Amino acid sequence: METITDDKDARWRIIATDLRAAILDGRYPPGGALPSEPELVRKYDVSRPTVRKAIDTLVSEGLAYVMRGRGSFVRPIPERRTILITDRDRPDLAALGNHPDVQAFGWDLAQRDHDVPFFTGEKTTANRDIAIMLSVRPGHPVIHRRSLWHRGHTAAIHGASARLEINSYTNADMLPDWDDPKRHAQYRKRPALFYQSLSRDHGPVRWMTLTTARIAYEDERTTLGMDYAEAVLIIRRTMAHPSGNPIEVTEVKAPANRYEIGYHRELADEPEVDLTPQELSDNGIELAI
């Protein structure tokens, strides 16, 4: 039996360190089982709670997952797909309706899920985060458009599905005809009209794109079909005045372990030319923003 240290609080750290190194070295392959609790208890001469704390650490790091009644396993490595940051024509990803920008990349609008509509477009008020994005005061009127995209199949890994959440926030002062029923109907039927109106009335415009990642909130995990240990990738593209004052912000949320960022000018053989459907497929690109 292996004796490690008298510091009881440090024992779970040593177990986690040993298992982590074995996973990263390939001694426990993706999808493979980790040693059982009784095995680890005997090997390290520790209690079951100590072993569980070590396993929980690996789970929180995204290296392992637990199946009740079966044991602990190394998390499979999902195939990463690319979201392209482009300086070409920016599609209005949150446009209401099943528009060509969705279908061009093989996506469909997700079906109604958990009583949440697959797309919405409404005037609401800015909370703190939206107010910061749009440089307005909390409570200021904003137009919120939201779409859920999916690929129509469910991945084998933990029931996770291929999904993206698209949110668009616009300072309502920038689009005063949103409340006109006839004009609102046109925005629903003509996907390009929303951006055309903003660019015409407030242009010329500039674009700024930032990316970040954080641990997903519970509602995001539910919406995107993510495990609780996964991080969410957030791509935030801002349409702004030349001065930098925001007009509209589009935010794309995706599982961070299944998507990565690419740049049009670096991936394209001819940076001034749009990628062809074949080039998009060859580079594993599933969205351009």
Side-chain angles (χ1 to χ4, degrees):
M1 185 174 294
E2 192 170 330
T3 302
I4 50 178
T5 177
D6 291 333
D7 185 352
K8 293 183 179 180
D9 185 59
R11 295 187 179 192
W12 66 269
R13 299 180 189 276
I14 293 177
I15 298 171
T17 298
D18 289 350
L19 292 176
R20 185 187 301 111
I23 292 171
L24 297 178
D25 288 345
R27 283 173 276 165
Y28 298 120
L34 293 172
S36 67
E37 283 188 10
E39 289 178 285
L40 294 172
V41 166
R42 290 193 298 271
K43 179 178 180 179
Y44 290 95
D45 190 19
V46 295
S47 65
R48 279 181 178 259
T50 299
V51 167
R52 288 171 186 162
K53 189 171 184 180
I55 296 297
D56 286 345
T57 299
L58 298 179
V59 170
S60 68
E61 294 172 356
L63 292 174
Y65 67 98
V66 176
M67 296 185 68
R68 186 171 298 177
R70 294 186 57 187
S72 305
F73 299 84
V74 179
R75 182 182 297 279
I77 302 174
E79 179 186 2
R80 287 183 179 271
R81 307 293 288 178
T82 300
I83 296 176
L84 186 72
I85 306 298
T86 181
D87 55 1
R88 308 289 298 161
D89 290 338
R90 276 84 170 183
D92 183 4
L93 302 176
L96 297 177
N98 199 345
H99 53 84
D101 291 318
V102 178
Q103 298 173 329
F105 291 92
W107 295 90
D108 290 311
L109 287 172
Q111 299 303 308
R112 188 179 294 273
D113 188 21
H114 300 285
D115 297 323
V116 177
F118 48 72
F119 63 78
T120 58
E122 61 181 357
K123 182 178 283 188
T124 182
T125 56
N127 61 21
R128 182 195 62 181
D129 291 343
I130 297 171
I132 292 172
M133 277 192 270
L134 293 175
S135 297
V136 298
R137 293 181 179 275
H140 188 86
V142 298
I143 297 168
H144 177 205
R145 300 175 301 146
R146 176 179 182 268
S147 295
L148 296 179
W149 293 11
H150 79 143
R151 285 202 168 273
H153 67 272
T154 301
I157 304 173
H158 310 151
S161 58
R163 291 188 178 187
L164 300 176
E165 180 181 359
I166 316 290
N167 285 282
S168 165
Y169 305 99
T170 307
N171 183 341
D173 293 345
M174 304 293 177
L175 210 66
D177 60 1
W178 176 263
D179 292 325
D180 178 79
K182 183 176 180 179
R183 191 64 167 173
H184 189 269
Q186 291 176 332
Y187 286 129
R188 291 180 64 93
K189 293 178 180 179
R190 297 167 55 188
L193 182 60
F194 194 91
Y195 273 12
Q196 288 172 352
S197 298
L198 290 174
S199 299
R200 181 192 66 233
D201 297 339
H202 306 287
V205 300
R206 58 180 292 201
W207 301 87
M208 299 173 286
T209 304
L210 298 173
T211 61
T212 188
R214 57 168 167 74
I215 296 300
Y217 301 146
E218 183 177 359
D219 60 333
E220 293 168 336
R221 295 196 300 267
T222 300
T223 298
L224 298 174
M226 298 167 57
D227 198 322
Y228 76 93
E230 290 186 69
V232 61
L233 175 67
I234 301 173
I235 307 168
R236 186 174 292 170
R237 183 190 68 193
T238 301
M239 176 197 291
H241 293 286
S243 64
N245 190 41
I247 299 171
E248 183 266 353
V249 177
T250 291
E251 192 175 70
V252 177
K253 294 181 180 179
N257 69 334
R258 292 191 282 262
Y259 289 92
E260 60 191 8
I261 302 299
Y263 295 88
H264 177 91
R265 286 191 168 274
E266 297 175 359
L267 294 178
D269 293 331
E270 299 180 63
E272 302 304 325
V273 178
D274 289 334
L275 293 173
T276 66
Q278 186 60 50
E279 289 173 324
L280 293 172
S281 177
D282 290 346
N283 284 284
I285 295 169
E286 292 200 344
L287 175 67
I289 180 171

